[in-house]
Amino acid sequence: MDEEIIVFECTVCHKNYEKAKKDHPDFEITGLDNVMDWSDFRPEDDLPGLDERIWARSEKAPTAGERRIVQVHSHFHMTVGESFWTLFTPALSHFNGWDSHPEEIEASAFVRCKVERVLDRNGQRAWVELYIEEVTLLSELCAIVPPRDGSGYAEHLGLYRNPHIFQWQDWFLVTSSAEGDLGVWGLVRKTAGHYHLVTMGDWDFHLDMAYGGNLILPEPEWDEMLSKCTWYG
């Protein structure tokens, strides 16, 4: 039996989106970002049509062992039966970002899941049932992942022109991009005087990735990057 592949065509270049890389040398988790919308629908529910954009996104993080219905799109490229990591954010920050809803940072998580089956699909989107294998809250990463040297990553977060930074409690969100064509972002947590890069993302036209780990940013490099940032929020 042929494997069922879920992949979509880029509306700009009309080529299929690339298969995402599975690992990063400096992060324990490598996952997809911005490729799905989480729902609270059940498999027996009547799902909204794939062209319908107004439906309630989930505010509830998945839990290991459950099945969830999601709508996948754009950069998603997976085979039925394949496991992968992805970044979950609750509904409000999913649409508006953590800078608008920082209280949802600690409700966000990396989720390892497996594609169980396709429920409906067209050329740009698909309803998919996932089996949830593992869930790691972003707030847990510093405690469960051994620290690594993060030399050079503060500079990387400020790679593009005019980086921005937002602070909420002990969290810092850094974003920078090149005129919207490609960019990088990082979520840094300060604990006991150290700056931990626990989540980083990079994106371009064909890939949108998020990484989870525990990289200690040297304070002089962090301070140098901050001097180049515009603060907002």
Side-chain angles (χ1 to χ4, degrees):
M1 181 181 295
D2 293 337
E3 294 180 318
E4 185 172 8
I5 298 173
I6 310 162
V7 63
F8 305 108
E9 182 181 278
C10 173
T11 57
V12 177
C13 71
H14 302 293
K15 295 181 180 179
N16 285 344
Y17 284 105
E18 303 167 25
K19 186 76 171 174
K21 48 193 173 184
K22 287 288 190 178
D23 54 51
H24 189 292
D26 295 325
F27 290 88
E28 274 68 21
I29 296 173
T30 297
L32 303 172
D33 193 17
N34 294 318
V35 297
M36 66 176 64
D37 294 64
W38 293 80
S39 82
D40 292 322
F41 296 123
R42 298 167 299 176
E44 62 270 24
D45 291 338
D46 291 330
L47 300 175
L50 290 167
D51 293 329
E52 187 174 337
R53 296 292 180 262
I54 301 176
W55 51 269
R57 273 60 170 183
S58 182
E59 298 179 356
K60 181 182 69 173
T63 58
E66 72 171 340
R67 285 173 167 78
R68 294 287 293 267
I69 306 301
V70 302
Q71 189 179 104
V72 298
H73 48 79
S74 60
H75 304 79
F76 194 84
H77 184 160
M78 288 290 159
T79 302
V80 172
E82 184 175 3
S83 295
F84 63 97
W85 284 96
T86 188
L87 182 61
F88 167 84
T89 54
L92 294 176
S93 50
H94 171 76
F95 284 115
N96 303 310
W98 285 320
D99 50 333
S100 296
H101 300 280
E103 72 283 357
E104 293 190 346
I105 290 174
E106 296 188 356
S108 301
F110 279 101
V111 181
R112 182 174 174 84
C113 41
K114 181 172 68 174
V115 181
E116 291 277 276
R117 59 187 177 127
V118 178
L119 303 172
D120 191 15
R121 68 188 299 176
N122 62 20
Q124 294 297 323
R125 293 177 176 266
W127 283 110
V128 172
E129 182 178 350
L130 301 178
Y131 175 74
I132 307 303
E133 299 178 325
E134 184 178 348
V135 178
T136 302
L137 292 171
L138 303 190
S139 59
E140 298 174 339
L141 285 166
C142 286
I144 66 177
V145 176
R148 297 189 186 191
D149 177 23
S151 296
Y153 274 95
E155 181 180 1
H156 181 70
L157 293 179
L159 179 64
Y160 302 108
R161 185 173 54 191
N162 193 26
H164 287 69
I165 189 165
F166 170 85
Q167 182 180 3
W168 181 74
Q169 297 182 0
D170 55 357
W171 295 94
F172 299 83
L173 176 64
V174 184
T175 58
S176 64
S177 66
E179 299 183 0
D181 295 333
L182 68 163
V184 62
W185 59 268
L187 190 62
V188 176
R189 189 175 194 181
K190 184 180 181 181
T191 65
H194 296 291
Y195 293 92
H196 304 253
L197 177 59
V198 296
T199 311
M200 188 185 78
D202 55 36
W203 53 271
D204 59 25
F205 283 122
H206 278 179
L207 284 175
D208 204 334
M209 305 297 297
Y211 314 99
N214 184 9
L215 275 65
I216 306 297
L217 303 178
E219 193 163 348
E221 295 181 14
W222 173 250
D223 291 341
E224 173 66 20
M225 191 277 297
L226 290 183
S227 70
K228 302 175 182 178
C229 284
T230 299
W231 289 79
Y232 67 107

